């Protein structure tokens, strides 16, 4: 466990840098995470983050990758509806980086 | 980090052909027959007449780089710098015929166990346990070491009616082939997870957590935005913990080991089959798990005495009948042995035929 | 961990005839603080009878979604060497053959960045490097790729395929297991490194029904070599065996299909009735060999118990010719993935999906015909579905 | 139905060697308008390929909740004779032995009040009187009880128990099947006539593992005779059989436990390994007989597919001595009912309840100990429950 | 009605002892062995030396009182006024030894079929069909008559390798022992029930109706206070109709017959087992159901030719393998044969071993 | 199908005399049915009928007999909590007579 300081506020994060309290999320936090992960956020990046947040709000779960991929394809064009494109946006992987920036719980399950 | 452009990715596995000893490269696909020469050595003969000699030793699977370097050195000395690992964590060297004896002698001198071929006990397929994993109900390497210290002669010198494959998994995820082994040592929890109300909402997806429970023991707890676990429906599989860190299940006193027997994967004589529960619980008793060691040894010995040649443990039991298995092993039959999961009905004995004594 | 912490329980496990993992950890501990603290925390687990590793951990290398298992201990102050204790999975060569040169190079990299401890191999077949820190991952990756190695799978992806020794050394092999394993690994690099499946998918290849890689129990797709024509018999060698073993009892008497006979002279096999179980060939390899019309049985669904119970793979293609580049197999696998992707729930293995939806959906979508070899026996229950077109 | 309605399809079924039910209906039709209209409506079904009987019908006699199946046709104007077509179930004597006198008396009653058509017997074992009207039920009941007969079961109650011919004629019988059936029927009159169970409950008694009353498939409680000591052998008779049959092949070779041997001289049985399957005894009844320590295996749960799929009964007591008045058996049955009553859902057979709740609950509440004979094999899945007290 | 005080109730079954022929009463429990004398006659011998002769004939099960009276008359003439029915609807007489031949001759003269004992086809256990039931998908008596007209010789004269038990049930309720017969003829629906919106709310309990569906195809339809049926989840079992008259399922064109084989209940040689689907559908073609008759006859004949002595149909199939069964019978293997109900996984072939041709 | 006339109103019933439309039920109908069935309704009889109606209203199903028996035992004393007593009240059986009088759907299921 550790802490980060964003816009003057001290926020708790776990070893992998995920939020300990999801309520701490805000745009500043998102941007902070993006910077730490080395991601320059474009509109396309935000599409992913927004979709993740919306989906999580509606279903209380992160979408399966196939659903994320399909959604991105719908939003950004069929040539971008694939995992490869997701990894171009988020080289650290959608689970690790996009979920972190979106302020979702740290992905679990089989590793 | 993103400014390292020259990263190489997606190489896949290196080409196996680079690693084949010349005699193997040459006779690839041409092998004609083999002969077991001893418990730790064998000879394969090719259609071309070429011969390949193999010497096998046990490893602890968890090895240091120094260990590997020692093996490399040995391979350089006796085996042209080639060596291989088997699917059960043993190492094989390929000496020329005239180097066989020297290699075997050298290996033994260095304290390695030559063996594992043919009818006996080969290495134990096992998992991480307390070495690396977050869900174990027991250790892996320690139990294996304790068991094999007792049974190592079945690796090196003593024979059994057929192969006896022992495997260990430290939790119900059953990494490995535990569910289809002659003797399976399985770590089990016996108490339901505790709900960490403080962290759950932040760490876990509630729908996924609920869906993870095979017996439907988990329901939402809207009051606290967490979940409730119906203790009497929980069979402690730990799958909810896999999905949700706020449901820790490990418990020093509740956890322990169960033993399953009679599985196999080969289809020789009869189809592959799963292992069946015979000892529902033995305590975790580190460092030597004496109860587990005794139980496994006992099972091997009763089997060794009673089975016919070529009969795997499960085949032997099926021949004598489970009622007699419990009798000859002296293991008590309990409620736990009777299946009560979804497909239980298929395990009920729907015939009045059985043996009496 | 201070150098003088005692590990009496582990010390006890240095004794005994079987090779000791404790000795290995101690060896590594001489060079590595990580290995050293592993000893300490493990001793603590032995005392407490619980693990001291925290849940999960999500770390990795760029561009990949898997290949590294993140791990943190719950006593980082006491055991800082294992505060991070990540595992790196390296994709081994087919058949686990190595040269000492290649192995030593890997050892050097590992000594440089990690604990110096490894599992050879993990249960899936990866070379498992135990214990490193997050900041070492990219350097490790750079160095191993430079030497021609790559990471294996983890997460909801294709896991590192593996195979038995097959044609490289085994006279029983009906298919080139190592080459199939290697080729598939390369065909499916994207699926291996970038998890996008509903759950994990494993492929294992065994050259015959002995299944030396335990494919039927441990792989979603189990590829098992077999043959269609007759067992090749060398009657002269049968005679030799007859002097060493009781053929009537041990071979003929244990043949599951009772298709053999032996009158002391020639061994007769009614190949029409033989089910290719391997028993007779196993026992008399000099006298008996698989036939020449070789291929594989393709089986689907093997897995451990989570969630709906363990499954062994079952037959979906009784016989498939398998010749490089195995496009027919690739094609089938891709179709299966497509179907699974379409219908699978989160964390639902393909076998569980077939079980939930019924075989028909999978067969229709892959174009495989239903055949009796897929079942032990036809259904006993009368709960039979009819597709709309089938009833007029 | 007007007398001249044609029944060409049914007429066709008068032809042929097998005894014809159409001939029977026609015979009855000569005296009974009900039987006559049955012909008409049945022909209509043959034409339409659907039944013309309406759903359900709830009729009966006073004081009973079952024993009569109400039935109305959907064409009462056309076929007034079968507007009502209720079935009366008469409880037969154990073993289906009758005297002509008793049978004829019953025929007279039936001719007086019903169609004159009957099933001997229904699948449960009742004498089934087919076709009468609501207002005839009480008179029928009065007349049959006057002659010593009673109704059988229907509804969620104990159904009419039945048994094989047992010791009355069969040398294989290990228990007095007919007496057990009779005694239980009498012990449980209230449960038979006044439905109060979650669903139906059937009892069938067979004297040996040949199960000539198909108990294992059709009864919630299947009582199957067996023995514990050794098969009685008359070696002289074995010799006689040897001249008529191939004992090695037909008997020894087909013994499922391979516990026999025959060298042409004496037949040897390793009774320790014998599982009492009956095959050898069946084939050589003059030479072989069940042992003398006789009793029964008690099995539970047999039923047809509704709702969760068909079940065959499974062992709950490997061996029970059964001697009149069978209080031990009665006691067990009552305990089982109590447990079922406590936990069973509506229309849940006891076997389905055991399957749903697990064997343990049933065993604990009946006091039966768990024994390996209850299962084909112990569980393979690790989803094991522990009762609170069992874990400290 | 309530003013009839003298009603007798709860008599139970009459005492069987009253109906036993004297030789049986005397030798009850003392029988020593039996001999089959012909396909329709046998002799039981008692420890006392007494002999009991039995003559068996087929009945159509659905019989008139006149038929019964005829049987009574015969029993009076030859069997001391005693007769019995078997568990498969046959009638047995117990003549004295010297009356055997006369009885058999008389029975034959009257057109009755003497037989049904030993290895052949005995009477067909069957159900009501269009004679009395509300849920049938086919008739019972008619199909049985058509089939047995073709196969009657297996009752009277021709032998088979072992018993072949044929049973028929006209719907999935499977009254009888259809699910464990050598050959089972089963009436099936193939279209979902229709919802009678007009009457359902008055005739049916909605929760019970929903609970009755094995596949969860029924859900409430709150709008109409009735229910909805998901057609693609319905497998036409008709259980909802049993509970709810407003869900009729019979359909002249959709209904028909399926055939299952290989079941048995005896445990001789091997345990009792269920019948398995081999022909998913044959049309209802009254009055003689030629497709069904042909199929059953074909099954019997292929079995008769190929099975070993004592081998029941299911034992024969297990020996040759299902793949070969479908080959030698020429029956096509379809999607329908593959189980997809709850316990389907247990029927999947989890071994790569099978026969090729 | 047939009709009955109760308090001047014509009501449809099925062959067994059960209401075709459950809404037609009222106390008069109940009393009419009781008469037809030859039952003299006492308080105890009404207890059963009322329980059946209440139960049906709450659960949309008729109670299983065991539940009815238990309830009657609770209401009328343990000596009356058995099937025998129910048959004393309703000789035609609770399913047939009490349900009819209570205006519940005709019982179905296995006969
Ligand atoms: C390392 C390894 C055990 C070992 O010591 O060898 C392993 C370790 C873990 N397995 Fe495994 N599995 C390993 C091979 C297997 C196998 C065997 C195989 O692949 O041949 C199986 C059985 C086959 C199968 O896939 O079903 C296996 C079945 C599981 C399961 C149960 C999956 C199921 O569907 O039943 C889980 C649980 C899960 O996925 O959430 C699991 C989960 C895990 C996790 C990731 C723990 C978790 O809950 O998330 C373990 C990480 C331990 C750690 O910290 O290192 N592991 N796991 C094996 C992988 C090493 C390698 O890559 O070579
Ligand atoms: C080297 C290895 C393959 C590899 O790719 O690494 C291998 C190699 C051979 N196996 Fe294997 N088997 C190997 C794992 C297996 C496994 C998998 C496992 O144990 O996890 C099985 C399935 C075990 C099971 O059923 O549970 C396996 C079941 C067999 C059998 C069938 C045994 C049986 O009767 O059931 C044979 C045939 C025999 O015994 O003659 C066989 C035969 C052989 C032969 C004789 C084949 C040949 O002609 O070369 C090889 C040497 C025999 C030996 O080791 O005794 N091999 N063999 C594996 C050595 C593991 C080890 O170090 O012990
Ligand atoms: C008359 C009889 C068939 C025959 O012609 O022989 C029969 C007829 C009916 N059975 Fe049956 N069953 C008859 C013996 C059986 C048997 C065999 C047995 O008892 O040995 C079974 C299989 C064993 C069992 O109980 O499971 C049987 C399993 C069923 C089932 C399925 C029960 C299940 O749990 O799977 C039903 C459906 C139901 O209960 O709703 C059923 C329901 C019915 C109903 C009441 C129809 C219904 O949906 O409510 C049938 C009434 C037909 C009518 O109008 O006459 N009948 N029923 C048999 C009773 C006669 C007798 O008393 O002797
Ligand atoms: C009379 C009857 C009992 C009764 O209470 O009515 C009866 C009587 C005998 N049975 Fe049976 N069985 C009778 C129904 C059954 C049934 C039940 C059924 O068919 O529904 C079975 C189970 C069938 C199944 O497994 O599906 C049955 C399976 C046997 C067997 C085992 C056959 C086998 O090998 O699987 C034997 C032993 C034998 O064949 O020698 C047997 C043997 C006998 C013997 C020889 C016993 C004896 O010593 O008296 C009797 C005369 C043989 C015969 O009929 O061929 N009886 N027998 C039943 C006659 C039915 C009929 O009219 O055909
Ligand atoms: S078996 Fe369980 S505890 Fe052991 S390594 Fe696998 S997941 Fe971890
Ligand atoms: S441990 Fe398993 S059974 Fe228990 S609540 Fe968690 S998922 Fe369910
Ligand atoms: S599976 Fe068959 S081919 Fe492969 S190593 Fe084992 S015996 Fe040889
Ligand atoms: S491979 Fe197996 S089935 Fe075939 S002949 Fe050999 S032992 Fe028999
Ligand atoms: S079940 Fe056994 S005892 Fe009963 S009639 Fe059949 S063979 Fe005889
Ligand atoms: S009864 Fe069956 S198991 Fe016992 S000896 Fe006879 S044939 Fe063998
Ligand atoms: S099988 Fe079905 S249709 Fe036939 S009598 Fe039984 S319930 Fe009626
Ligand atoms: S017929 Fe059967 S499967 Fe279809 S809706 Fe009715 S109960 Fe469900």
């Amino acid at each position: 466990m550790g802490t980060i300081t964003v816009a003057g506020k001290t926020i708790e994060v776990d070893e992998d840098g995920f939020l300990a309290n999801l309520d701490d999320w805000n745009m500043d936090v998102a941007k902070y995470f993006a910077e730490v992960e080395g991601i320059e956020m474009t509109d396309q990046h935000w599409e992913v983050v927004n979709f993740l947040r919306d989906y999580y709000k509606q279903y209380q779960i992160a979408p399966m990758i196939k659903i994320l991929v399909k959604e991105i394809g719908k939003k950004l064009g069929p040539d971008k509806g694939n995992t490869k494109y997701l990894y171009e946006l988020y080289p650290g992987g959608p689970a690790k980086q996009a979920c972190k920036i979106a302020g979702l719980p740290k992905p679990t399950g089989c590793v | 980090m993103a400014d390292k452009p020259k990263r190489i990715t997606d190489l896949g596995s290196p080409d196996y052909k680079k690693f084949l000893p010349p005699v193997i490269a040459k006779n690839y696909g041409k092998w004609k027959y083999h002969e077991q020469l001893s418990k730790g050595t064998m000879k394969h003969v090719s259609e071309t007449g070429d011969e390949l000699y193999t010497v096998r030793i046990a490893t602890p699977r968890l090895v240091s780089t120094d260990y590997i370097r020692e093996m490399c050195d040995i391979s350089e000395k006796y085996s042209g710098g080639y060596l291989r690992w088997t699917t059960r964590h043993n190492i094989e060297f390929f000496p020329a015929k005239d180097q066989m004896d020297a290699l075997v002698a050298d290996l033994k001198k260095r304290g390695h166990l030559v063996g594992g071929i043919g009818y006996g006990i080969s290495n134990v397929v096992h998992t991480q346990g307390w070495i690396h994993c977050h869900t174990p109900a027991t250790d892996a390497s320690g139990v294996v070491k304790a068991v094999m210290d007792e049974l190592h002669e079945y690796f090196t010198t003593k024979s059994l009616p057929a192969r006896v494959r022992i495997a260990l998994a430290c939790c119900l995820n059953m990494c490995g082939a535990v569910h289809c082994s002659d003797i399976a040592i399985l770590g089990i929890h016996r108490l339901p997870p505790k709900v960490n109300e403080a962290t759950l909402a932040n760490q876990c997806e509630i729908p996924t957590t609920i869906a993870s429970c095979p017996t439907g023991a988990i329901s939402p707890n809207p009051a606290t935005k967490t979940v409730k676990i119906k203790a009497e429906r929980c069979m402690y599989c730990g799958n909810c913990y896999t999905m949700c860190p706020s449901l820790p299940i490990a418990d020093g006193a509740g956890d322990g080991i169960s033993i399953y027997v009679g599985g196999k994967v080969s289809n020789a004589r009869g189809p592959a089959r799963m292992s069946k529960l015979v000892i529902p619980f033995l305590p975790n008793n580190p460092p030597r798990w004496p109860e587990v060691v005794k139980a496994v040894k006992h099972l091997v010995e009763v089997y060794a005495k009673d089975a016919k040649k070529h009969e795997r443990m499960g085949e032997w039991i099926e021949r004598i009948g489970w009622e007699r298995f419990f009798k000859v092993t002296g293991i008590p039959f309990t409620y736990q042995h009777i299946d009560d999961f979804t497909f239980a009905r298929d395990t009920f004995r729907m015939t009045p035929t059985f043996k009496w004594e | 961990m201070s150098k003088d912490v005692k590990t009496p329980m582990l010390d006890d496990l240095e004794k005994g005839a079987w090779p000791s993992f404790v000795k290995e950890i101690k060896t590594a501990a001489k060079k590595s603080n990580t290995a050293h603290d592993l000893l300490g925390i493990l001793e603590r687990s032995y005392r407490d009878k619980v693990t001291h590793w925290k849940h999960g951990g999500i770390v990795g290398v760029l561009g990949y979604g898997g290949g590294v298992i993140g791990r943190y201990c719950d006593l980082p102050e006491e055991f800082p060497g294992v505060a991070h204790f990540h595992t790196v999975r390296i994709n081994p060569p087919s058949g686990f053959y190595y040269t000492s040169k290649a192995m030593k190079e890997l050892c050097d990299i590992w000594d440089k960045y990690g604990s110096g401890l490894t599992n050879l191999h993990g249960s899936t077949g990866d070379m498992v490097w135990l214990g490193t820190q997050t900041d070492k991952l990219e350097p490790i990756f750079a160095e191993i790729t430079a030497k021609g190695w790559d990471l294996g799978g983890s997460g909801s992806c294709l896991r590192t395929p593996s195979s038995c020794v097959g044609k490289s050394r085994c006279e029983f092999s009906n298919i080139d297991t190592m080459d199939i394993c290697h080729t598939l690994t390369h065909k499916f690099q994207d699926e291996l490194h970038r998890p996008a499946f509903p759950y994990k998918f494993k492929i294992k290849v065994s050259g015959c029904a002995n299944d030396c890689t335990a494919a039927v129990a441990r792989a979603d797709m189990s590829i098992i070599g077999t043959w269609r024509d007759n067992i090749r018999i060398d009657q002269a060698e049968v005679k030799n065996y007859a002097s060493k073993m009781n053929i009537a009892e041990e071979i003929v008497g244990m043949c599951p299909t009772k298709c053999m006979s032996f009158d002391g002279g020639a061994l007769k096999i009614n190949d029409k009735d033989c089910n290719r179980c391997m028993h007779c060939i196993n026992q008399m390899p000099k006298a008996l060999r698989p036939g020449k019309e070789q291929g594989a049985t393709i089986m689907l669904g093997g897995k451990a118990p989570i969630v709906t119970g363990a499954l062994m793979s079952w037959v979906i293609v009784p016989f498939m010719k398998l010749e490089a580049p195995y496009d027919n197999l690739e094609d089938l696998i891709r179709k299966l993935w497509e179907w699974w992707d379409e219908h699978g729930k989160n964390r639902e293995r393909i076998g569980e999906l077939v079980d939930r939806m019924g075989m028909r959906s999978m067969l229709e979508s892959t174009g495989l015909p239903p055949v009796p070899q897929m079942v032990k026996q036809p259904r006993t229950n009368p709960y039979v579905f009819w597709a709309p077109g089938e009833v007029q």
Side-chain angles (χ1 to χ4, degrees), chain C residues 139-155:
Chain C
I140 290 172
F141 187 63
E143 294 213 21
I144 62 164
T145 49
K147 292 284 177 197
W149 299 83
D150 196 354
L151 295 187
S154 73

Side-chain angles (χ1 to χ4, degrees), chain B residues 288-304:
Chain B
R288 288 228 163 244
W289 282 268
E291 297 86 352
V292 176
V293 172
K294 195 176 148 204
V296 173
K297 192 177 179 194
H298 179 57
L299 284 164
V300 171
E301 285 173 351
V302 177
Y303 158 76

